[in-house]
Protein backbone atom coordinates (compact mmCIF):
# COMPACT_ATOMS: atom_id res chain seq x y z
CA UNK A 1 0.00 0.00 0.00
CA UNK A 2 1.14 3.50 -0.76
CA UNK A 3 0.42 6.18 1.80
CA UNK A 4 -1.16 9.09 -0.02
CA UNK A 5 0.11 12.38 1.36
CA UNK A 6 -0.97 15.65 -0.16
CA UNK A 7 1.58 18.12 -1.45
CA UNK A 8 0.29 20.65 1.04
CA UNK A 9 0.88 18.24 3.93
CA UNK A 10 4.42 17.59 2.72
CA UNK A 11 5.06 21.33 2.56
CA UNK A 12 3.76 21.80 6.09
CA UNK A 13 5.95 18.95 7.33
CA UNK A 14 9.00 20.47 5.67
CA UNK A 15 8.18 23.82 7.26
CA UNK A 16 7.84 22.17 10.67
CA UNK A 17 11.16 20.40 10.14
CA UNK A 18 12.78 23.72 9.22
CA UNK A 19 11.23 25.40 12.27
CA UNK A 20 12.76 22.76 14.55
CA UNK A 21 16.12 23.36 12.92
CA UNK A 22 15.62 27.08 13.43
CA UNK A 23 14.94 26.52 17.15
CA UNK A 24 18.16 24.50 17.56
CA UNK A 25 20.11 27.20 15.73
CA UNK A 26 18.54 29.87 17.94
CA UNK A 27 19.67 28.13 21.13
CA UNK A 28 23.15 27.59 19.70
CA UNK A 29 23.31 31.27 18.76
CA UNK A 30 22.18 32.27 22.26
CA UNK A 31 24.81 30.05 23.90
CA UNK A 32 27.59 31.45 21.70
CA UNK A 33 26.56 35.08 22.23
CA UNK A 34 26.18 34.83 26.02
CA UNK A 35 29.44 32.85 26.22
CA UNK A 36 31.22 35.68 24.42
CA UNK A 37 29.81 38.28 26.81
CA UNK A 38 30.47 36.21 29.93
CA UNK A 39 34.23 36.29 29.20
CA UNK A 40 34.09 39.68 30.92
CA UNK A 41 32.18 38.24 33.89
CA UNK A 42 34.50 39.92 36.41
CA UNK A 43 34.37 43.24 34.61
CA UNK A 44 30.56 43.13 34.44
CA UNK A 45 30.49 42.75 38.24
CA UNK A 46 32.61 45.86 38.68
CA UNK A 47 30.40 47.83 36.28
CA UNK A 48 27.24 46.55 37.95
CA UNK A 49 28.32 47.52 41.48
CA UNK A 50 31.01 50.22 41.13
CA UNK A 51 30.86 51.37 44.76
CA UNK A 52 32.00 48.05 46.30
CA UNK A 53 35.30 48.39 48.22
CA UNK A 54 38.35 47.25 46.26
CA UNK A 55 41.85 46.28 47.34
CA UNK A 56 44.89 44.50 45.95
CA UNK A 57 45.28 42.33 49.05
CA UNK A 58 43.66 41.67 52.43
CA UNK A 59 45.39 40.60 55.64
CA UNK A 60 44.73 37.11 57.06
CA UNK A 61 43.50 38.62 60.34
CA UNK A 62 40.99 40.78 58.43
CA UNK A 63 39.62 37.68 56.70
CA UNK A 64 39.30 35.90 60.05
CA UNK A 65 37.44 38.87 61.54
CA UNK A 66 35.12 39.16 58.53
CA UNK A 67 34.18 35.46 58.58
CA UNK A 68 33.40 35.67 62.29
CA UNK A 69 31.25 38.77 61.76
CA UNK A 70 29.26 37.23 58.90
CA UNK A 71 28.58 34.03 60.84
CA UNK A 72 27.59 36.01 63.93
CA UNK A 73 25.01 37.86 61.85
CA UNK A 74 23.47 34.48 60.93
CA UNK A 75 23.13 33.09 64.46
CA UNK A 76 19.33 32.91 64.15
CA UNK A 77 19.43 31.14 60.78
CA UNK A 78 20.10 27.50 59.89
CA UNK A 79 23.80 26.67 60.10
CA UNK A 80 25.79 27.43 56.95
CA UNK A 81 27.41 24.32 55.51
CA UNK A 82 29.88 26.02 53.16
CA UNK A 83 31.33 29.52 53.45
CA UNK A 84 33.31 31.01 50.55
CA UNK A 85 35.68 33.96 50.69
CA UNK A 86 36.53 35.41 47.29
CA UNK A 87 39.99 36.91 47.61
CA UNK A 88 41.02 40.01 45.63
CA UNK A 89 42.53 39.13 42.26
CA UNK A 90 43.69 41.25 39.33
CA UNK A 91 40.44 41.00 37.37
CA UNK A 92 38.18 41.46 40.39
CA UNK A 93 40.05 43.20 43.25
CA UNK A 94 37.30 42.66 45.81
CA UNK A 95 36.74 40.47 48.85
CA UNK A 96 33.34 38.83 49.09
CA UNK A 97 31.96 36.31 51.57
CA UNK A 98 29.20 33.97 50.42
CA UNK A 99 27.25 31.67 52.73
CA UNK A 100 24.13 29.54 52.35
CA UNK A 101 22.07 32.65 53.14
CA UNK A 102 23.82 35.76 51.83
CA UNK A 103 26.74 37.30 49.95
CA UNK A 104 28.46 40.44 51.27
CA UNK A 105 31.42 42.59 50.35
CA UNK A 106 34.06 43.29 52.99
CA UNK A 107 36.59 46.08 53.13
CA UNK A 108 40.35 45.80 53.65
CA UNK A 109 39.86 45.87 57.44
CA UNK A 110 37.46 42.93 57.39
CA UNK A 111 34.32 44.98 58.03
CA UNK A 112 31.08 44.13 56.23
CA UNK A 113 30.57 46.80 53.56
CA UNK A 114 27.19 45.76 52.23
CA UNK A 115 25.46 43.07 50.16
CA UNK A 116 26.86 41.82 46.90
CA UNK A 117 24.57 42.97 44.08
CA UNK A 118 25.57 41.41 40.78
CA UNK A 119 22.29 39.85 39.64
CA UNK A 120 22.86 40.70 35.96
CA UNK A 121 26.31 39.12 35.89
CA UNK A 122 24.90 35.99 37.53
CA UNK A 123 21.95 35.96 35.14
CA UNK A 124 24.31 36.18 32.16
CA UNK A 125 26.46 33.35 33.49
CA UNK A 126 23.37 31.24 34.16
CA UNK A 127 22.04 31.86 30.64
CA UNK A 128 25.26 30.57 29.11
CA UNK A 129 25.92 27.80 31.60
CA UNK A 130 22.44 26.27 31.75
CA UNK A 131 19.97 28.46 29.81
CA UNK A 132 18.76 29.64 33.25
CA UNK A 133 17.29 26.16 33.80
CA UNK A 134 17.97 24.97 37.38
CA UNK A 135 19.42 21.58 38.12
CA UNK A 136 21.05 19.11 35.79
CA UNK A 137 18.81 19.61 32.75
CA UNK A 138 20.13 22.99 31.63
CA UNK A 139 23.80 22.04 31.86
CA UNK A 140 23.11 18.84 29.95
CA UNK A 141 21.38 20.73 27.13
CA UNK A 142 24.28 23.17 26.85
CA UNK A 143 26.74 20.26 26.88
CA UNK A 144 24.86 18.66 23.99
CA UNK A 145 25.13 21.90 22.04
CA UNK A 146 28.87 21.83 22.70
CA UNK A 147 28.95 18.47 20.93
CA UNK A 148 26.90 20.06 18.13
CA UNK A 149 29.51 22.81 17.65
CA UNK A 150 32.21 20.14 17.47
CA UNK A 151 30.23 18.19 14.87
CA UNK A 152 29.47 21.31 12.82
CA UNK A 153 33.12 22.38 12.83
CA UNK A 154 34.44 19.00 11.73
CA UNK A 155 31.69 18.43 9.15
CA UNK A 156 32.27 21.92 7.76
CA UNK A 157 35.94 21.08 7.33
CA UNK A 158 35.16 17.85 5.49
CA UNK A 159 32.46 19.48 3.34
CA UNK A 160 34.85 22.13 2.03
CA UNK A 161 38.06 20.47 0.77
CA UNK A 162 39.44 23.83 -0.44
CA UNK A 163 38.65 25.57 2.83
CA UNK A 164 42.28 26.19 3.80
CA UNK A 165 43.43 27.08 0.29
CA UNK A 166 40.65 29.67 0.12
CA UNK A 167 41.25 30.89 3.68
CA UNK A 168 41.91 34.46 2.51
CA UNK A 169 39.55 34.54 -0.43
CA UNK A 170 36.67 36.86 0.35
CA UNK A 171 34.06 37.92 -2.16
CA UNK A 172 32.25 40.73 -0.35
CA UNK A 173 29.42 41.15 -2.88
CA UNK A 174 26.44 39.02 -1.93
CA UNK A 175 25.78 37.42 -5.32
CA UNK A 176 23.18 34.71 -4.64
CA UNK A 177 24.57 34.32 -1.14
CA UNK A 178 28.21 33.94 -2.24
CA UNK A 179 29.46 36.85 -0.13
CA UNK A 180 27.68 35.60 2.97
CA UNK A 181 29.00 32.09 2.40
CA UNK A 182 32.54 33.43 2.07
CA UNK A 183 32.27 35.29 5.36
CA UNK A 184 30.90 32.13 6.97
CA UNK A 185 33.69 29.93 5.59
CA UNK A 186 36.53 32.36 6.26
CA UNK A 187 35.50 33.04 9.84
CA UNK A 188 35.00 29.30 10.30
CA UNK A 189 38.59 28.64 9.20
CA UNK A 190 40.13 31.43 11.20
CA UNK A 191 38.32 30.44 14.39
CA UNK A 192 38.58 26.65 13.98
CA UNK A 193 41.16 26.00 16.77
CA UNK A 194 39.14 28.23 19.10
CA UNK A 195 35.85 26.58 18.12
CA UNK A 196 37.24 23.10 18.72
CA UNK A 197 38.65 24.08 22.12
CA UNK A 198 35.39 25.76 23.17
CA UNK A 199 33.28 22.85 21.91
CA UNK A 200 35.33 20.15 23.62
CA UNK A 201 35.63 21.96 26.95
CA UNK A 202 31.99 23.05 26.87
CA UNK A 203 30.90 19.47 26.28
CA UNK A 204 33.12 18.28 29.13
CA UNK A 205 31.68 20.84 31.54
CA UNK A 206 28.06 20.38 30.50
CA UNK A 207 28.06 16.60 30.22
CA UNK A 208 30.63 15.98 32.95
CA UNK A 209 27.95 16.10 35.61
CA UNK A 210 25.93 13.49 33.72
CA UNK A 211 29.03 11.33 33.48
CA UNK A 212 29.69 11.74 37.19
CA UNK A 213 26.17 10.59 38.03
CA UNK A 214 26.67 7.61 35.74
CA UNK A 215 29.94 6.68 37.44
CA UNK A 216 28.34 7.14 40.86
CA UNK A 217 25.53 4.78 39.92
CA UNK A 218 27.81 2.18 38.38
CA UNK A 219 30.74 2.13 40.81
CA UNK A 220 30.03 4.23 43.93
CA UNK A 221 26.53 3.19 45.05
CA UNK A 222 25.08 6.51 43.80
CA UNK A 223 27.50 8.53 45.94
CA UNK A 224 28.24 11.49 43.68
CA UNK A 225 30.88 12.91 46.04
CA UNK A 226 32.79 9.63 45.91
CA UNK A 227 32.73 9.77 42.11
CA UNK A 228 34.32 13.23 42.14
CA UNK A 229 36.85 12.38 44.89
CA UNK A 230 39.62 10.92 42.63
CA UNK A 231 39.80 14.26 40.82
CA UNK A 232 38.77 17.00 43.23
CA UNK A 233 39.45 15.33 46.57
CA UNK A 234 37.29 13.72 49.21
CA UNK A 235 34.59 15.43 51.26
CA UNK A 236 35.36 15.10 54.96
CA UNK A 237 32.94 13.42 57.31
CA UNK A 238 30.64 15.90 59.06
CA UNK A 239 30.50 16.32 62.83
CA UNK A 240 27.75 18.79 63.74
CA UNK A 241 28.73 19.23 67.38
CA UNK A 242 29.48 22.92 68.11
CA UNK A 243 33.08 24.14 68.22
CA UNK A 244 34.95 27.47 68.12
CA UNK A 245 35.41 28.96 64.66
CA UNK A 246 38.30 27.45 62.70
CA UNK A 247 41.60 29.29 62.41
CA UNK A 248 41.57 30.77 58.91
CA UNK A 249 44.42 33.26 59.32
CA UNK A 250 47.03 30.52 59.89
CA UNK A 251 46.39 28.74 56.55
CA UNK A 252 46.59 32.08 54.72
CA UNK A 253 49.93 32.80 56.35
CA UNK A 254 51.14 29.25 55.59
CA UNK A 255 50.34 29.60 51.89
CA UNK A 256 52.05 32.99 51.61
CA UNK A 257 55.19 31.55 53.20
CA UNK A 258 55.35 28.13 51.52
CA UNK A 259 53.83 28.87 48.10
CA UNK A 260 54.84 32.49 47.45
CA UNK A 261 54.19 32.26 43.70
CA UNK A 262 50.65 30.90 44.12
CA UNK A 263 47.81 33.42 43.77
CA UNK A 264 45.09 32.78 46.34
CA UNK A 265 41.61 33.04 44.83
CA UNK A 266 39.21 31.37 47.28
CA UNK A 267 38.96 30.30 50.89
CA UNK A 268 36.35 27.60 51.54
CA UNK A 269 35.28 26.85 55.11
CA UNK A 270 33.32 23.60 55.39
CA UNK A 271 30.77 23.21 58.21
CA UNK A 272 31.90 26.34 60.10
CA UNK A 273 31.47 26.35 63.86
CA UNK A 274 31.37 22.55 64.17
CA UNK A 275 33.88 19.87 65.14
CA UNK A 276 33.92 18.68 61.54
CA UNK A 277 34.97 22.03 60.10
CA UNK A 278 38.01 22.30 57.88
CA UNK A 279 39.46 24.87 55.48
CA UNK A 280 40.45 24.67 51.83
CA UNK A 281 42.51 27.27 49.99
CA UNK A 282 42.33 27.43 46.21
CA UNK A 283 45.33 29.10 44.59
CA UNK A 284 46.26 29.65 40.96
CA UNK A 285 49.70 28.59 39.78
CA UNK A 286 51.59 30.81 37.33
CA UNK A 287 51.80 29.68 33.70
CA UNK A 288 49.29 26.89 34.30
CA UNK A 289 45.79 26.42 32.86
CA UNK A 290 44.44 24.78 36.02
CA UNK A 291 41.87 26.88 37.88
CA UNK A 292 43.97 26.30 41.00
CA UNK A 293 45.43 23.83 43.44
CA UNK A 294 43.42 22.95 46.56
CA UNK A 295 45.28 23.02 49.88
CA UNK A 296 43.68 21.33 52.91
CA UNK A 297 43.85 22.55 56.52
CA UNK A 298 42.37 21.40 59.80
CA UNK A 299 40.31 23.50 62.19
CA UNK A 300 43.46 24.47 64.11
CA UNK A 301 45.12 25.77 60.93
CA UNK A 302 47.46 22.81 60.48
CA UNK A 303 48.35 21.80 56.92
CA UNK A 304 46.92 18.44 55.80
CA UNK A 305 48.18 18.27 52.20
CA UNK A 306 46.92 19.19 48.75
CA UNK A 307 44.54 17.53 46.31
CA UNK A 308 47.05 17.28 43.44
CA UNK A 309 45.43 19.31 40.68
CA UNK A 310 48.78 20.93 39.90
CA UNK A 311 50.97 17.81 39.86
CA UNK A 312 48.64 14.81 40.15
CA UNK A 313 47.75 12.36 37.42
CA UNK A 314 47.03 13.68 33.93
CA UNK A 315 43.26 13.28 34.28
CA UNK A 316 43.22 15.56 37.33
CA UNK A 317 45.23 18.25 35.59
CA UNK A 318 43.08 18.01 32.47
CA UNK A 319 39.84 18.31 34.47
CA UNK A 320 41.22 21.28 36.40
CA UNK A 321 42.23 23.03 33.15
CA UNK A 322 38.85 22.74 31.43
CA UNK A 323 37.21 25.78 33.05
CA UNK A 324 39.94 28.32 32.36
CA UNK A 325 40.41 27.09 28.79
CA UNK A 326 36.68 27.42 28.13
CA UNK A 327 36.10 30.83 29.73
CA UNK A 328 39.46 32.48 28.97
CA UNK A 329 40.39 32.95 32.63
CA UNK A 330 44.14 32.95 32.03
CA UNK A 331 46.62 35.39 30.58
CA UNK A 332 44.82 38.51 31.75
CA UNK A 333 43.08 41.12 29.60
CA UNK A 334 44.83 40.29 26.25
CA UNK A 335 43.50 36.72 26.37
CA UNK A 336 40.02 37.94 27.29
CA UNK A 337 40.00 40.33 24.33
CA UNK A 338 41.09 37.50 22.03
CA UNK A 339 38.34 35.26 23.40
CA UNK A 340 35.73 37.97 22.82
CA UNK A 341 36.87 38.52 19.23
CA UNK A 342 36.92 34.82 18.45
CA UNK A 343 33.65 34.37 20.32
CA UNK A 344 31.90 37.02 18.23
CA UNK A 345 33.35 35.39 15.10
CA UNK A 346 31.92 32.02 16.18
CA UNK A 347 28.56 33.67 16.88
CA UNK A 348 28.60 35.18 13.37
CA UNK A 349 29.43 31.76 11.90
CA UNK A 350 26.36 30.29 13.61
CA UNK A 351 24.13 33.17 12.50
CA UNK A 352 25.33 33.18 8.89
CA UNK A 353 25.12 29.39 8.65
CA UNK A 354 21.39 29.47 9.24
CA UNK A 355 20.98 32.49 6.95
CA UNK A 356 22.81 30.62 4.17
CA UNK A 357 20.58 27.60 4.71
CA UNK A 358 17.45 29.74 4.47
CA UNK A 359 18.81 31.42 1.33
CA UNK A 360 19.41 28.06 -0.36
CA UNK A 361 15.86 26.97 0.44
CA UNK A 362 14.55 30.16 -1.11
CA UNK A 363 16.61 29.65 -4.29
CA UNK A 364 15.11 26.16 -4.55
CA UNK A 365 11.66 27.69 -4.60
CA UNK A 366 10.83 27.20 -0.92
CA UNK A 367 9.73 30.74 -0.14
CA UNK A 368 9.33 30.94 3.64
CA UNK A 369 9.15 34.60 4.67
CA UNK A 370 7.97 33.62 8.15
CA UNK A 371 11.07 31.52 8.85
CA UNK A 372 13.30 34.27 7.47
CA UNK A 373 11.59 36.88 9.64
CA UNK A 374 11.76 34.53 12.63
CA UNK A 375 15.50 34.16 12.19
CA UNK A 376 15.83 37.95 11.97
CA UNK A 377 13.97 38.01 15.28
CA UNK A 378 16.52 35.64 16.77
CA UNK A 379 19.66 37.36 15.43
CA UNK A 380 18.61 40.81 16.59
CA UNK A 381 16.05 39.89 19.25
CA UNK A 382 18.41 37.93 21.53
CA UNK A 383 20.95 40.80 21.94
CA UNK A 384 18.01 43.20 22.27
CA UNK A 385 16.58 41.06 25.08
CA UNK A 386 19.99 41.03 26.80
CA UNK A 387 20.19 44.82 26.53
CA UNK A 388 16.70 45.14 28.01
CA UNK A 389 17.70 43.01 31.01
CA UNK A 390 20.75 45.18 31.63
CA UNK A 391 18.62 48.31 31.39
CA UNK A 392 16.12 46.78 33.81
CA UNK A 393 18.95 45.98 36.24
CA UNK A 394 20.19 49.57 36.11
CA UNK A 395 16.77 51.17 36.49
CA UNK A 396 14.96 48.68 38.76
CA UNK A 397 17.84 47.50 40.92
CA UNK A 398 19.27 44.14 41.88
CA UNK A 399 15.84 42.58 42.34
CA UNK A 400 14.67 43.07 38.75
CA UNK A 401 13.13 39.87 37.26
CA UNK A 402 15.90 39.45 34.71
CA UNK A 403 15.21 35.85 33.72
CA UNK A 404 11.54 36.58 33.05
CA UNK A 405 12.33 39.74 31.08
CA UNK A 406 14.93 38.02 28.94
CA UNK A 407 13.02 34.89 28.04
CA UNK A 408 9.74 36.71 27.43
CA UNK A 409 11.49 39.13 25.07
CA UNK A 410 13.70 36.50 23.43
CA UNK A 411 10.66 34.32 22.66
CA UNK A 412 8.14 37.06 21.87
CA UNK A 413 10.28 38.96 19.36
CA UNK A 414 10.79 36.02 16.92
CA UNK A 415 7.16 34.96 17.37
CA UNK A 416 5.88 38.43 16.49
CA UNK A 417 8.24 38.45 13.50
CA UNK A 418 6.86 35.11 12.33
CA UNK A 419 3.25 36.26 12.69
CA UNK A 420 3.97 39.53 10.82
CA UNK A 421 6.88 38.80 8.48
CA UNK A 422 6.31 41.79 6.20
CA UNK A 423 8.00 44.15 6.16
CA UNK A 424 11.11 42.26 7.26
CA UNK A 425 11.77 43.18 10.90
CA UNK A 426 15.56 43.29 10.59
CA UNK A 427 15.88 47.08 10.21
CA UNK A 428 13.49 47.87 13.06
CA UNK A 429 15.18 45.41 15.44
CA UNK A 430 18.62 46.81 14.62
CA UNK A 431 17.44 50.31 15.51
CA UNK A 432 15.82 49.12 18.74
CA UNK A 433 19.06 47.32 19.68
CA UNK A 434 21.12 50.47 19.09
CA UNK A 435 18.67 52.54 21.17
CA UNK A 436 18.70 49.97 24.02
CA UNK A 437 22.49 49.68 24.14
CA UNK A 438 22.83 53.47 24.04
CA UNK A 439 20.30 53.78 26.88
CA UNK A 440 22.24 51.22 28.95
CA UNK A 441 25.52 53.07 28.42
CA UNK A 442 23.96 56.44 29.23
CA UNK A 443 22.23 55.18 32.37
CA UNK A 444 25.43 53.52 33.60
CA UNK A 445 27.59 56.59 32.91
CA UNK A 446 25.09 58.94 34.55
CA UNK A 447 24.84 56.70 37.58
CA UNK A 448 21.10 56.16 37.20
CA UNK A 449 20.52 53.13 39.41
CA UNK A 450 17.65 52.09 41.61
Amino acid sequence: MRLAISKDAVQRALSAHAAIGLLASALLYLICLTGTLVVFYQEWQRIEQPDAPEMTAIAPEAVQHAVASVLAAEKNKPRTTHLYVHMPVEGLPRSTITTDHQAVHIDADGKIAGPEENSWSEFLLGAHYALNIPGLVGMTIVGIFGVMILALTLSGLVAHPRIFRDAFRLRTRDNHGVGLADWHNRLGVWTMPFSLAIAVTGSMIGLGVVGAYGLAGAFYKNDIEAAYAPIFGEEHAADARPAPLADIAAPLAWLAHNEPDARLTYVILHDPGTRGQHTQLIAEHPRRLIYGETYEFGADGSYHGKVGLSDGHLGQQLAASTYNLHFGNYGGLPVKIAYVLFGFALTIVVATGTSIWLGKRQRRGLHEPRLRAGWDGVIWGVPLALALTLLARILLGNGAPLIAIFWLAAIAIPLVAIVRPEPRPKTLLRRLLIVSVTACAAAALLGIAA
Side-chain angles (χ1 to χ4, degrees):
M1 295 178 60
R2 292 185 60 186
L3 183 63
I5 302 177
S6 68
K7 185 177 179 180
D8 185 56
V10 171
Q11 184 64 38
R12 287 199 302 269
L14 288 173
S15 296
H17 178 75
I20 293 172
L22 194 67
L23 175 61
S25 299
L27 290 176
L28 185 59
Y29 172 76
L30 187 156
I31 292 169
C32 291
L33 180 60
T34 53
T36 301
L37 295 175
V38 89
V39 169
F40 284 127
Y41 174 67
Q42 294 177 326
E43 287 74 13
W44 286 121
Q45 291 183 67
R46 299 180 73 180
I47 293 172
E48 193 172 355
Q49 196 173 10
D51 57 345
E54 297 193 342
M55 64 217 73
T56 57
I58 184 169
E61 294 76 16
V63 175
Q64 181 83 47
H65 172 73
V67 170
S69 298
V70 169
L71 291 175
E74 298 182 353
K75 61 181 179 180
N76 296 324
K77 297 180 179 180
R79 188 183 299 276
T80 285
T81 57
H82 293 82
L83 180 146
Y84 302 87
V85 183
H86 174 271
M87 301 296 285
V89 295
E90 182 179 358
L92 188 62
R94 299 177 174 183
S95 293
T96 308
I97 296 180
T98 304
T99 71
D100 295 349
H101 310 293
Q102 62 176 327
V104 296
H105 293 296
I106 59 174
D107 63 19
D109 296 324
K111 297 177 182 177
I112 298 175
E116 182 185 46
E117 296 180 338
N118 58 352
S119 59
W120 192 82
S121 306
E122 294 298 326
F123 150 76
L124 183 65
L125 182 63
H128 175 69
Y129 214 80
L131 299 174
N132 301 124
I133 301 173
L136 187 61
V137 175
M139 288 185 62
T140 303
I141 293 173
V142 173
I144 292 172
F145 275 96
V147 177
M148 185 182 294
I149 294 176
L150 180 62
L152 289 171
T153 302
L154 295 177
S155 61
L157 175 62
V158 174
H160 299 85
R162 295 175 49 179
I163 196 167
F164 290 109
R165 191 172 75 178
D166 294 341
F168 297 97
R169 184 185 182 189
L170 184 61
R171 292 163 289 185
T172 55
R173 290 190 304 174
D174 196 359
N175 183 19
H176 298 294
V178 171
L180 192 63
D182 274 4
W183 273 111
H184 177 83
N185 293 335
R186 298 301 82 79
L187 289 176
V189 173
W190 299 336
T191 63
M192 185 172 294
F194 173 82
S195 300
L196 291 174
I198 292 299
V200 171
T201 54
S203 301
M204 291 174 63
I205 294 171
L207 299 178
V209 180
V210 178
Y213 273 94
L215 288 173
F219 302 105
Y220 297 99
K221 298 180 180 179
N222 294 316
D223 186 347
I224 189 66
E225 292 179 353
Y228 277 120
I231 299 177
F232 300 108
E234 297 181 356
E235 183 74 17
H236 294 212
D239 184 346
R241 290 176 294 174
L245 182 63
D247 188 344
I248 299 174
L252 298 181
W254 182 96
L255 186 72
H257 181 266
N258 292 278
E259 297 285 351
D261 294 330
R263 297 186 294 267
L264 182 62
T265 57
Y266 274 95
V267 178
I268 306 175
L269 180 57
H270 297 254
D271 301 311
T274 71
R275 291 193 181 185
Q277 65 188 327
H278 60 282
T279 304
Q280 291 179 320
L281 304 185
I282 299 178
E284 296 176 342
H285 283 219
R287 297 181 297 279
R288 295 294 305 278
L289 278 176
I290 59 171
Y291 68 82
E293 177 62 274
T294 301
Y295 298 87
E296 305 268 4
F297 298 85
D300 59 354
S302 58
Y303 176 57
H304 288 181
K306 62 182 180 179
V307 170
L309 298 175
S310 60
D311 56 3
H313 57 75
L314 184 60
Q316 275 187 297
Q317 297 185 52
L318 177 62
S321 302
T322 301
Y323 298 93
N324 281 350
L325 185 58
H326 185 77
F327 291 105
N329 296 332
Y330 62 93
L333 185 60
V335 171
K336 289 186 176 184
I337 293 174
Y339 263 64
V340 166
L341 293 176
F342 283 124
F344 274 124
L346 177 59
T347 305
I348 293 172
V349 169
V350 172
T352 54
T354 303
S355 298
I356 292 168
W357 174 68
L358 289 170
K360 288 181 178 179
R361 289 173 64 86
Q362 184 173 349
R363 289 192 292 274
R364 292 201 303 267
L366 298 173
H367 298 286
E368 297 168 321
R370 295 185 188 278
L371 282 180
R372 174 72 72 174
W375 185 240
D376 288 342
V378 170
I379 292 178
W380 303 105
V382 168
L384 175 58
L386 288 172
L388 291 176
T389 59
L390 181 56
L391 188 61
R393 165 64 182 91
I394 295 171
L395 298 179
L396 303 179
N398 198 58
L402 303 180
I403 294 176
I405 293 171
F406 172 75
W407 284 104
L408 284 174
I411 294 172
I413 292 172
L415 286 179
V416 171
I418 290 172
V419 172
R420 299 194 63 178
E422 298 295 343
R424 252 182 100 172
K426 179 167 61 174
T427 301
L428 175 61
L429 290 174
R430 282 177 175 172
R431 291 173 179 171
L432 290 175
L433 177 60
I434 292 172
V435 171
S436 298
V437 172
T438 303
C440 288
L445 290 174
L446 294 174
I448 302 174

